[in-house]
Amino acid sequence: MPSFSSDGPNRRFMLGVLAALPTLPGLLGTTVAQAQTAQAPTTPLASWNDGPAKQAILDFVKATTDRASANYVPPDDRIATFDQDGTLWVEHPLYTQAFFALDRVHEMAPHHPEWKSHEPFKAVLANDLPALAHFSEGDWAELIFATHAGMSQAAFLEIATKWLATAKHPRFKRLFTELVYQPMTEVLEYLRANQFETFIVTGGGQDFVRAYSQRVYGIPTQQVIGSSLGMKYQFKDGKAELMRQPKLFFNDNYDGKAIGIDMFIGKRPFAAFGNSTGDREMLEYTKAGSGARLSMLVLHDDAAREFAYGPAQGLPDTKVGTFTQGLYDEAKKDGWPVISMKNDWKRIFAFDTL
Amino acid sequence: MPSFSSDGPNRRFMLGVLAALPTLPGLLGTTVAQAQTAQAPTTPLASWNDGPAKQAILDFVKATTDRASANYVPPDDRIATFDQDGTLWVEHPLYTQAFFALDRVHEMAPHHPEWKSHEPFKAVLANDLPALAHFSEGDWAELIFATHAGMSQAAFLEIATKWLATAKHPRFKRLFTELVYQPMTEVLEYLRANQFETFIVTGGGQDFVRAYSQRVYGIPTQQVIGSSLGMKYQFKDGKAELMRQPKLFFNDNYDGKAIGIDMFIGKRPFAAFGNSTGDREMLEYTKAGSGARLSMLVLHDDAAREFAYGPAQGLPDTKVGTFTQGLYDEAKKDGWPVISMKNDWKRIFAFDTL
C-alpha cells in the first residue's frame, strides 16, 4: 500500500509522480526505434505475441460475447476501463501533462515576475531537475492550479490542443500523441468491435485527456473519466461559460477510480487495464464482479524499446503510483494477467516495425 | 432568481420541493384518464399537435442533421439533455423520489424508535402533510441521508427497484414509471433516430434514476447525470463495494446542471429540455453555443389531464424550483420555445387515448 493516507486532503492527485526523473538526462541520448507508419491490423491483436496475456483477452471476449457461454454479457453491460499513463501511452520520465504544466510555467513566467523567487516555480524556471524530482504533492498542486485554472473550459481546450500539436517527448523526439502503445490500441478496437464501450479512467486531468481522446484513441469525451478542478458557471451578455477554479474537485485515483467509474458509468466494468498502484482499486472492483471479469496489468520491462521500471527494479511497495512488488503479488494471487511489454508485444508503437 | 444563495451549502438539492402539497387531498379524488396502451408511433412526434413547439423540434433536427445545412452537426457532437421531474414525467404533488423517501421512513421506523419524537421523521410518521409542506432543505437532507445512505450501491439499487415495482401515484393510481410523458418519449426516440445521444440531467439522485432509466426511457446508466452522495470504497475478503455515505457529493441543479454536463459529457449540448428554474443554467448554457441550438421549456398548464402550475398561476420568481414568471420572461426574450402541455400534446401518457 502507498505510504500516504488515502483519505487525507494531501493525497497524490493528477500528476504528482516523477516516476524516475533522475534518469532523464541518460534517456535523452537513447536511440529511438525506426519510424514506420503502422498498417491497420487485419486480425485481432496483431501486434501481440501468442502467450497467456493475449490468450486471456481472447478467452475473455469469447466468454462474454458468445451467446452459448454461461458468462455471456448483454451488449448494454459491456464496459471496459483503461488507465491512460503507462497503460495506453508512455508515462516516463514524466506524465505528458506534467511536461505541459512545466512548459506552461515557462510560457506564463513573463506575467509572473514573482515566480523567479517563489518555489516551486523558481526550480521549474531554473530547469532544476533534481529539485523537480523532490517536489511534494503540494508543489505539484500549486503548479497545476497556476497553469490549468483561471480560464474558461474553451480557452483551456485551445491551449492544450495547441501545445499537443508541437510538444515532443525528450527521448523519442515525437509528438506525445504518437507515443500510444499500438497493442493497446488493438485491445481498444477489438473490444469495441465486440460491442464493449471503452472508457479511459485516468488520475490525470480529464479535460486535458479530452482534448485528444477522440482523435488518438477513438474515445469520445463522454467516455473519459479523470480528475477535475472546481468549476464556476458564468453568464453575462448571453454568453454562458464554465470557468476553471484553482481547486481540486475530484481525485480520480486509487479508490477514486472505483468511485469515478460508479459515478460516471453506474456499472461495474467487465474488463480493466492498469499499470500502477493508482489502478489497484479499479482492478479489484472489476475483478470482484460476478461472471467472467478481466483485470490486467501492463509491466514496463522493456528498457530497449520503452522503459523498465516496477517490480523488476525491486521497488518497495511504499513507492507511490508505480507497479510495486505488492501490486505484483496481488495480481498473482488474484489472477490478474500481467502483460510483459518485452515478451507479449511484437511492437510498442505504431511507428515500430512489426 | 431563486431567493436562496446558489453558493451556500444549504441550497436546495435533490428533492427539496413540495410543489403544491396542500392540494394533495383534493387530487386524490380526481378522475384518471382512460387507460390504453399506446401504439408505437409510425411518424415522428405522433402525439404532438402541429404548432410552433413541434415545428421548433423538427426544424432543429433538420438544421443539425442535413449535410447541406450551414448548421450541420457531426454525429459525434450531437448531444441532447433532458431534465427529468416535470419534463419527462410527473413531479406533482411530490417528486417520485420524495415519495420513495417517505415510504422508506415508514418502513425503517421500527428500527428507529427515536424517530417518533424527532423531526422531521416525527411529522413523516404522523402523515402530517401541512408540516411536510414546510420542511426546510435541511429537513429533506436529513430524510435523504437517513433513507438513501448506509448501504452499498448494489443494496440501494435493489431497494429502489423493489419500491418502483409496486408504489403508485396518489392521483393516477399507476406505477410512477407509467407516468412518463408520451410526447417526450417521442422526442427522445426522434433525436436518437437522428444520432443524438440523449442524457438525463436531473437534480434528483442519479442512482435512483439509474434504477429504471434504461427500461423506462431507453437511456443507459452512463447517460444519467444527477445529484450524488459521497461514496466510500470498501474491499474485504475479495469483495469490492461502494458504500453510500450520508453526505452530498454533487448537487446537479441550477449552475450544477451546466457544470455536471461539462464534467460528465465534456461537450455543450445542442438541445436541452427543462421545466423549472433548476434547469435555467442548462438552458442558458445550451442556447449560448454557436450554430443551431434548441432550449425548450415544458409548461404545466393542463389541470384536467395532468396539473397546472407555473406562470399561469402567477407565482412570484422567488418560488423555488418551478416555472416562474422570470423564467418565462427569459424564455420569451431569448427564444426558448415553450411547450404547452394543454395545446401542444395530443395525449400526456402512453395510456391516454390518442
Side-chain angles (χ1 to χ4, degrees):
Chain A
M1 294 293 294
S3 61
F4 50 86
S5 161
S6 65
D7 292 315
N10 291 323
R11 59 182 179 170
R12 179 171 87 91
F13 82 96
M14 290 193 157
L15 48 76
V17 161
L18 289 152
L21 191 72
T23 67
L24 179 59
L27 299 170
L28 297 177
T30 307
T31 306
V32 177
Q34 182 71 28
Q36 182 168 316
T37 303
Q39 300 299 313
T42 50
T43 51
L45 310 181
S47 298
W48 290 69
N49 288 313
D50 290 337
K54 179 179 179 179
Q55 198 58 48
I57 300 169
L58 295 172
D59 289 348
F60 165 78
V61 169
K62 184 160 170 44
T64 52
T65 62
D66 180 348
R67 287 186 172 273
S69 162
N71 290 318
Y72 174 77
V73 176
D76 281 350
D77 293 334
R78 293 183 197 164
I79 303 291
T81 57
F82 294 78
D83 169 57
Q84 180 190 235
D85 296 293
T87 298
L88 293 179
W89 75 356
V90 173
E91 68 175 355
H92 227 56
L94 283 177
Y95 294 152
T96 301
Q97 195 180 352
F99 281 116
F100 170 68
L102 298 179
D103 282 358
R104 288 275 295 152
V105 169
H106 283 282
E107 194 179 324
M108 295 168 72
H111 304 287
H112 294 273
E114 74 281 9
W115 284 355
K116 277 184 198 148
S117 54
H118 179 67
E119 295 293 2
F121 303 98
K122 187 180 167 189
V124 175
L125 293 174
N127 293 310
D128 183 349
L129 298 182
L132 258 70
H134 294 97
F135 276 178
S136 68
E137 293 311 305
D139 291 331
W140 279 106
E142 205 172 339
L143 291 174
I144 290 289
F145 295 157
T147 58
H148 286 58
M151 75 279 284
S152 70
Q153 281 289 60
F156 178 76
L157 176 64
E158 197 177 313
I159 291 166
T161 302
K162 193 176 159 191
W163 183 84
L164 288 158
T166 58
K168 293 191 175 177
H169 188 277
R171 171 176 167 186
F172 296 102
K173 314 289 187 205
R174 287 180 174 269
L175 297 178
F176 289 99
T177 48
E178 292 181 85
L179 299 180
V180 170
Y181 306 136
Q182 175 61 23
M184 293 306 292
T185 298
E186 294 166 9
V187 175
L188 289 170
E189 288 168 352
Y190 181 51
L191 288 174
R192 288 196 293 258
N194 283 281
Q195 293 175 274
F196 279 84
E197 263 186 49
T198 54
F199 286 78
I200 289 174
V201 180
T202 177
Q206 70 179 16
D207 298 319
F208 184 77
V209 179
R210 286 173 172 179
Y212 55 84
S213 63
Q214 180 72 56
R215 174 171 62 88
V216 171
Y217 301 116
I219 294 179
T221 56
Q222 60 267 39
Q223 289 166 17
V224 175
I225 303 168
S227 298
S228 55
L229 298 180
M231 291 287 157
K232 191 166 165 50
Y233 180 75
Q234 181 180 287
F235 185 62
K236 46 183 185 187
D237 305 329
K239 291 284 290 179
E241 271 301 353
L242 294 167
M243 302 301 295
R244 298 169 62 85
Q245 305 297 300
K247 61 181 178 187
L248 180 65
F249 176 72
F250 182 61
N251 182 8
D252 191 56
N253 222 347
Y254 301 93
D255 57 341
K257 289 210 175 191
I259 291 167
I261 286 168
D262 177 69
M263 178 168 62
F264 280 71
I265 308 176
K267 296 181 178 107
R268 194 187 290 250
F270 276 84
F273 298 78
N275 81 305
S276 83
T277 50
D279 305 313
R280 174 178 288 173
E281 286 84 353
M282 173 174 75
L283 298 166
E284 288 173 346
Y285 181 64
T286 298
K287 190 70 181 171
S290 59
R293 308 270 173 166
L294 180 67
S295 288
M296 294 188 82
L297 277 163
V298 175
L299 174 65
H300 294 260
D301 58 357
D302 192 334
R305 297 188 299 174
E306 203 240 11
F307 298 100
Y309 53 97
Q313 280 59 53
L315 288 171
D317 203 26
T318 50
K319 176 78 179 171
V320 171
T322 59
F323 192 152
T324 63
Q325 188 62 47
L327 189 63
Y328 192 79
D329 295 343
E330 185 169 346
K332 288 294 167 197
K333 177 175 162 288
D334 292 340
W336 307 348
V338 172
I339 299 162
S340 161
M341 294 178 72
K342 187 174 180 177
N343 300 320
D344 288 315
W345 290 357
K346 288 183 186 168
R347 58 177 170 180
I348 307 288
F349 304 112
F351 54 79
D352 287 338
T353 49
L354 188 58
Chain B
M1 292 294 292
S3 61
F4 50 87
S5 161
S6 66
D7 292 316
N10 292 322
R11 60 183 179 169
R12 180 172 87 91
F13 82 96
M14 291 192 158
L15 48 75
V17 161
L18 290 150
L21 191 73
T23 67
L24 179 58
L27 298 171
L28 297 177
T30 307
T31 305
V32 177
Q34 181 72 29
Q36 182 168 317
T37 303
Q39 299 300 312
T42 50
T43 53
L45 310 181
S47 298
W48 290 70
N49 288 314
D50 290 337
K54 179 179 179 179
Q55 198 58 47
I57 300 168
L58 295 171
D59 289 349
F60 165 77
V61 169
K62 183 159 170 43
T64 52
T65 62
D66 181 347
R67 287 185 173 274
S69 161
N71 290 318
Y72 174 77
V73 177
D76 281 349
D77 293 334
R78 293 183 196 164
I79 303 290
T81 57
F82 294 78
D83 168 57
Q84 180 190 234
D85 296 293
T87 297
L88 293 179
W89 75 355
V90 173
E91 67 175 354
H92 227 56
L94 283 177
Y95 294 150
T96 301
Q97 195 180 352
F99 282 117
F100 170 68
L102 299 179
D103 282 358
R104 288 275 296 153
V105 169
H106 283 282
E107 195 179 323
M108 295 169 72
H111 304 286
H112 294 274
E114 74 280 10
W115 284 356
K116 277 183 197 147
S117 54
H118 180 67
E119 295 293 3
F121 303 97
K122 187 180 166 189
V124 175
L125 293 174
N127 293 310
D128 183 349
L129 298 182
L132 259 70
H134 293 97
F135 276 178
S136 68
E137 292 310 304
D139 290 331
W140 279 106
E142 203 171 341
L143 290 174
I144 290 289
F145 296 157
T147 58
H148 285 58
M151 76 279 284
S152 70
Q153 281 288 62
F156 177 75
L157 176 64
E158 197 177 314
I159 291 166
T161 301
K162 192 175 159 192
W163 183 83
L164 287 158
T166 58
K168 293 191 174 177
H169 188 278
R171 171 177 167 186
F172 297 102
K173 314 289 186 205
R174 286 180 173 269
L175 297 178
F176 289 98
T177 48
E178 291 181 87
L179 300 180
V180 170
Y181 305 137
Q182 174 62 23
M184 293 306 292
T185 298
E186 294 167 9
V187 174
L188 289 170
E189 288 168 351
Y190 181 51
L191 288 173
R192 288 198 293 257
N194 283 281
Q195 293 174 274
F196 279 83
E197 263 186 49
T198 54
F199 287 78
I200 289 174
V201 180
T202 176
Q206 70 180 15
D207 298 318
F208 183 77
V209 178
R210 286 172 172 179
Y212 55 85
S213 63
Q214 180 73 55
R215 174 170 62 88
V216 171
Y217 301 117
I219 294 179
T221 56
Q222 59 267 39
Q223 289 167 16
V224 175
I225 304 168
S227 298
S228 55
L229 297 181
M231 291 287 157
K232 191 167 165 52
Y233 179 75
Q234 180 181 289
F235 185 61
K236 46 182 185 187
D237 305 329
K239 291 284 290 179
E241 271 301 352
L242 295 167
M243 302 301 294
R244 298 169 62 84
Q245 305 298 300
K247 60 181 178 188
L248 180 66
F249 176 71
F250 182 61
N251 182 8
D252 192 55
N253 222 346
Y254 301 93
D255 56 342
K257 289 210 175 190
I259 291 167
I261 286 168
D262 177 69
M263 177 168 61
F264 279 71
I265 308 176
K267 297 183 177 107
R268 195 187 290 251
F270 277 83
F273 298 78
N275 80 305
S276 83
T277 50
D279 306 313
R280 185 191 306 249
E281 287 83 354
M282 172 174 76
L283 299 166
E284 289 172 346
Y285 181 64
T286 298
K287 189 69 182 172
S290 60
R293 308 269 174 168
L294 180 67
S295 288
M296 295 187 82
L297 277 163
V298 175
L299 175 64
H300 294 260
D301 59 356
D302 192 334
R305 295 188 300 175
E306 202 240 11
F307 298 101
Y309 54 96
Q313 280 60 52
L315 288 171
D317 203 26
T318 50
K319 175 78 178 171
V320 172
T322 60
F323 192 152
T324 63
Q325 188 62 46
L327 189 64
Y328 192 79
D329 295 343
E330 185 169 346
K332 289 293 167 196
K333 177 174 162 287
D334 292 339
W336 308 347
V338 172
I339 299 161
S340 161
M341 293 178 72
K342 186 174 181 177
N343 299 320
D344 288 314
W345 289 356
K346 288 182 185 169
R347 58 177 169 179
I348 307 288
F349 304 112
F351 54 79
D352 287 338
T353 49
L354 188 58

